[in-house]
């Protein structure tokens, strides 16, 4: 009895409730059903989600902006405003690709600053900012803009494995990020490569080195994510990302309810109500079943893929490789491509494999294999990467490959955005006839063709033109 009382007393004394970011409205459905959840599907459950006590709800950014316009014919800004109106007690969070914003190229600083400003103005509380290369220079503008708006700037370190990615590397990077003005740091383990005992080491070292909060984001792809979270939390991690169970695991995050139950009765007890979480899960379960029946949710992405650890290839990248090989009628080359991926990555300075570097490395690996000669054919993105247009990698490029691909062009060594002239005014002039709200300028800046088609659809809807005609005018694009 005394022992039990002693344990309870110590638990109370050392209480450090785990904080959770819920990903169901962004990364969970992006990872499992190609970002196809509509705003209409989200709104009815907001009130219940708002009662949980989440640290934050990730609900915007990443691929949601693009998918809303392309596939759902929704205004992403209006989605954000509606979510903000519904979530009265919970912070809203977004994912932001540094100088790439939510697009696939570098944008001028004035566009980055304006996008950050409008994100906070429309309801975002926390912006998670990352760069595919962990190039600090590509993060600075967005962090400063967030600081100026008095919003929370969380900088994410893209986690990967490789010769250069030591504990010393991550600690030094974290210190630079803290000095830059970040309010918190996230370890972004997009491929599920962080295994439990390495998480203990990494979190311990980072917590000793920085004073700001530390968050961990991972995917269940390799099957170790829940164990990794447990060891990370025990080592001092402040916040973890989870997804409500119907859209958890597989290429998504660990289940919220499981993490809540895991730490129940410990110093890390979240205090969340499992009955309330069960009601939220019940709301999303029919969506999962419908997605399975329609084929939108492929059962394969719900399993464990140990190849993630063997080849360090994120789950989404694996599916892209399979798709590309199938199109080229070269599915039998799958394992050759998997073996080529690390070689290409090494040639490219060993970057973490996350958007857009994962697509660039993967596509080049496919080309190298199916042409039968390495770099006989190169994509424009490969050329841009080796030219330095995406920033600086942790290790140098393979000089021979770089020379072969870019020829006599002089590589860029400065921050790529320093070469970009301010572009907001020009963009606004180009799309002036379609502008109905200030945010439309940013929508057009990121996705000009897609935005134009959406604006036409919006006009047709508002003027009462038959929707089937408007849909025919709007081309479809692959996910």
């Amino acid at each position: 009895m005394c022992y039990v009382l002693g344990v309870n007393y110590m638990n109370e004394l050392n209480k450090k409730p785990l904080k959770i970011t819920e990903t169901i409205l962004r990364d969970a459905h992006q990872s499992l059903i190609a970002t196809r959840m509509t705003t209409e599907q989200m709104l009815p459950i907001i009130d219940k989600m708002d009662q949980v006590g989440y640290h934050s709800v990730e609900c915007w950014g990443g691929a949601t902006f693009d998918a809303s316009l392309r596939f759902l014919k929704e205004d992403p800004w209006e989605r954000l405003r509606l979510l903000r109106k519904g979530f009265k007690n919970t912070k809203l969070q977004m994912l932001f690709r540094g100088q790439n914003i939510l697009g696939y190229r570098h944008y001028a600083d004035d566009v980055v600053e304006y996008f950050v400003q409008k994100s906070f103005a429309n309801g975002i509380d926390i912006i998670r900012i990352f760069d595919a290369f962990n190039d600090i220079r590509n993060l600075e503008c967005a962090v400063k803009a967030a600081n100026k708006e008095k919003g929370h700037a969380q900088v994410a370190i893209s986690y990967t494995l490789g010769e250069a990615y030591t504990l010393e590397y991550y600690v030094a990077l974290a210190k630079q990020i803290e000095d830059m003005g970040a309010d918190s740091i996230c370890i972004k383990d997009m491929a599920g490569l962080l295994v439990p005992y390495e998480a203990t080491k990494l979190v311990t070292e980072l917590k000793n080195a920085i004073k700001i909060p530390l968050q961990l984001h991972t995917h269940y792809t390799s099957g170790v994510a829940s164990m990794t979270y447990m060891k990370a939390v025990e080592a001092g991690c402040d916040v973890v990302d989870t997804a409500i169970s119907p859209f958890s695991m597989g290429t998504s995050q660990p289940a919220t309810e499981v993490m809540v139950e895991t730490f129940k009765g410990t110093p890390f007890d979240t205090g969340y109500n499992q009955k309330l979480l069960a009601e939220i899960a019940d709301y999303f379960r029919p969506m999962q079943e419908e997605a399975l029946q329609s084929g939108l949710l492929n059962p394969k992405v719900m399993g464990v893929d140990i190849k993630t650890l063997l080849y360090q290839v994120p789950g989404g990248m694996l599916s892209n490789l399979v798709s590309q090989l199938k199109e080229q009628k070269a599915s039998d080359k799958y394992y050759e491509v998997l073996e080529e991926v690390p070689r290409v990555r090494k040639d490219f300075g060993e970057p973490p494999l996350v958007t857009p570097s994962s697509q660039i490395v993967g596509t080049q690996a496919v080309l190298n294999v199916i042409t039968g000669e390495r770099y006989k054919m190169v994509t424009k993105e490969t050329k841009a990467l080796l030219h330095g247009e995406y920033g600086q990698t942790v290790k140098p490029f393979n000089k021979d490959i770089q020379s072969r691909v870019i020829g006599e062009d002089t590589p860029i060594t400065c921050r790529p955005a320093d070469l970009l002239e301010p572009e907001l005014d020009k963009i606004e002039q180009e799309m002036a006839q379609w502008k109905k709200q200030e945010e439309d300028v940013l929508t057009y800046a990121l996705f000009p063709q897609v935005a134009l088609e959406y604006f036409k659809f919006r006009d047709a809807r508002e003027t009462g033109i038959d929707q089937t005609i408007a849909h025919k005018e709007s081309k479809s694009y692959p996910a």
Side-chain angles (χ1 to χ4, degrees):
M1 184 68 169
C2 290
Y3 172 73
V4 173
L5 286 173
V7 169
N8 288 341
Y9 174 73
M10 288 304 293
N11 281 352
E12 285 299 314
L13 199 64
N14 300 317
K15 213 166 184 183
K16 189 197 171 189
L18 173 65
K19 297 175 182 177
I20 287 179
T21 292
E22 173 62 60
T23 68
I24 181 64
L25 301 185
R26 204 287 296 178
D27 200 13
H29 75 103
Q30 179 176 319
S31 297
L32 295 177
I33 57 169
T35 332
R36 295 301 201 276
M37 195 180 292
T38 66
T39 304
E40 187 179 5
Q41 289 175 308
M42 297 174 183
L43 295 179
I45 196 61
I46 285 177
D47 185 56
K48 275 195 171 69
M49 290 181 68
D50 199 32
Q51 297 171 38
V52 173
Y54 290 121
H55 168 69
S56 64
V57 169
E58 191 197 41
C59 60
W60 211 61
T64 62
F65 197 95
D66 186 359
S68 292
L69 295 164
R70 278 186 203 266
F71 307 112
L72 307 178
K73 293 294 173 252
E74 292 185 3
D75 178 6
W77 297 101
E78 181 60 17
R79 172 183 291 188
L80 176 54
R81 289 189 285 265
L82 288 169
L83 292 173
R84 178 72 284 164
K85 186 178 178 183
F87 280 107
K88 296 177 172 60
N89 308 301
T90 309
K91 290 180 179 178
L92 301 186
Q93 185 165 321
M94 73 172 290
L95 183 66
F96 192 96
R97 299 183 192 127
Q99 211 69 31
N100 289 8
I101 310 181
L102 304 177
Y104 303 98
R105 70 168 176 89
H106 279 214
Y107 297 88
D109 287 346
D110 61 341
V111 180
V112 174
E113 290 161 0
Y114 195 42
F115 201 101
V116 170
Q117 179 194 329
K118 284 299 181 184
S119 297
F120 284 121
N122 280 276
I124 287 297
D125 299 291
I126 302 170
I127 290 189
R128 178 180 290 172
I129 306 159
F130 80 97
D131 178 67
F133 290 177
N134 289 329
D135 187 337
I136 288 285
R137 303 170 306 169
N138 294 336
L139 302 166
E140 288 171 347
C141 180
V143 171
K144 285 177 183 173
N147 292 160
K148 184 180 177 182
E149 297 301 318
K150 307 222 175 334
H152 185 112
Q154 180 179 88
V155 173
I157 295 172
S158 297
Y159 179 82
T160 192
L161 303 175
E163 190 180 296
Y165 297 97
T166 60
L167 282 175
E168 291 75 20
Y169 164 82
Y170 286 117
V171 168
L173 187 59
K175 287 179 177 176
Q176 283 182 277
I177 289 167
E178 185 175 35
D179 291 343
M180 186 195 298
D183 296 294
S184 63
I185 289 175
C186 175
I187 303 164
K188 180 177 169 62
D189 179 25
M190 55 280 169
L193 299 177
L194 183 59
V195 294
Y197 287 104
E198 288 303 315
T200 298
K201 294 177 194 173
L202 179 59
V203 171
T204 300
E205 291 293 326
L206 290 177
K207 288 297 289 183
N208 287 336
I210 60 172
K211 295 182 176 64
I212 56 178
L214 182 65
Q215 186 157 352
L216 176 56
H217 168 94
T218 191
H219 290 252
Y220 215 94
T221 322
S222 61
V224 301
S226 291
M227 293 182 285
T228 294
Y229 274 176
M230 175 176 270
K231 299 308 288 184
V233 170
E234 289 173 351
C237 184
D238 303 288
V239 194
V240 296
D241 288 9
T242 66
I244 206 75
S245 55
F247 284 91
S248 69
M249 297 187 285
T251 51
S252 179
Q253 281 74 52
T256 305
E257 304 97 307
V258 173
M259 285 296 104
V260 168
E261 196 64 23
T262 296
F263 293 109
K264 188 177 178 181
T266 75
F268 311 108
D269 194 330
T270 63
Y272 296 175
N273 185 326
Q274 282 284 24
K275 185 181 176 186
L276 181 58
L277 292 174
E279 289 173 6
I280 295 167
D282 286 344
Y283 176 81
F284 286 106
R285 194 162 288 108
M287 291 186 207
Q288 181 212 49
E289 291 166 1
E290 185 182 339
L292 280 165
Q293 288 170 7
S294 69
L296 188 57
L297 176 54
N298 187 331
K300 287 182 180 177
V301 305
M302 299 303 292
V304 169
D305 194 337
I306 200 65
K307 294 188 194 75
T308 299
L309 292 175
L310 294 176
Y311 299 104
Q312 301 175 30
V313 176
M317 185 177 170
L318 277 175
S319 59
N320 282 341
L321 293 179
V322 170
S323 176
Q324 288 176 359
L325 287 169
K326 191 175 180 181
E327 284 176 16
Q328 298 294 328
K329 295 183 171 46
S331 296
D332 60 317
K333 306 284 188 184
Y334 178 64
Y335 286 103
E336 285 182 57
V337 170
L338 280 183
E339 289 169 5
E340 177 65 3
V341 165
R343 291 194 286 263
V344 173
R345 182 177 172 235
K346 189 173 182 182
D347 290 338
F348 290 2
E350 219 170 69
L353 294 177
V354 64
T355 303
S357 58
S358 54
Q359 290 91 332
I360 299 170
V361 169
T363 302
Q364 192 57 56
V366 169
L367 288 174
N368 286 359
V369 169
I370 64 175
T371 59
E373 183 183 333
R374 303 188 79 228
Y375 304 103
K376 180 180 181 180
M377 286 178 62
V378 295
T379 64
K380 64 179 182 179
E381 289 80 13
T382 286
K383 189 169 183 179
L385 186 150
L386 292 172
H387 191 236
E389 293 173 32
Y390 290 96
Q392 186 175 358
T393 48
V394 64
K395 295 187 78 175
F397 300 140
N398 180 319
K399 292 293 182 186
D400 292 337
I401 301 299
Q402 184 184 34
S403 299
R404 180 175 173 181
V405 171
I406 72 169
E408 295 182 5
D409 287 355
T410 303
I412 293 169
T413 55
C414 65
R415 183 183 77 118
D418 287 342
L419 302 174
L420 301 174
E421 295 291 333
E423 51 185 330
L424 259 181
D425 290 344
K426 181 185 173 187
I427 289 166
E428 186 153 15
Q429 288 170 18
E430 278 182 19
M431 57 77 63
Q433 71 179 99
W434 304 102
K435 183 180 173 184
K436 294 195 173 176
Q437 59 178 348
E438 291 179 347
E439 292 81 4
D440 285 345
V441 178
L442 291 163
T443 301
Y444 182 84
L446 264 59
F447 305 103
Q449 187 180 354
V450 176
L452 193 58
E453 290 169 1
Y454 170 73
F455 295 152
K456 287 177 182 176
F457 173 83
R458 182 177 64 183
D459 281 1
R461 181 178 57 201
E462 290 173 1
T463 54
I465 293 175
D466 187 281
Q467 292 299 290
T468 57
I469 297 172
H471 270 297
K472 280 177 184 175
E473 286 183 359
S474 184
K475 299 172 187 173
S476 62
Y477 289 80

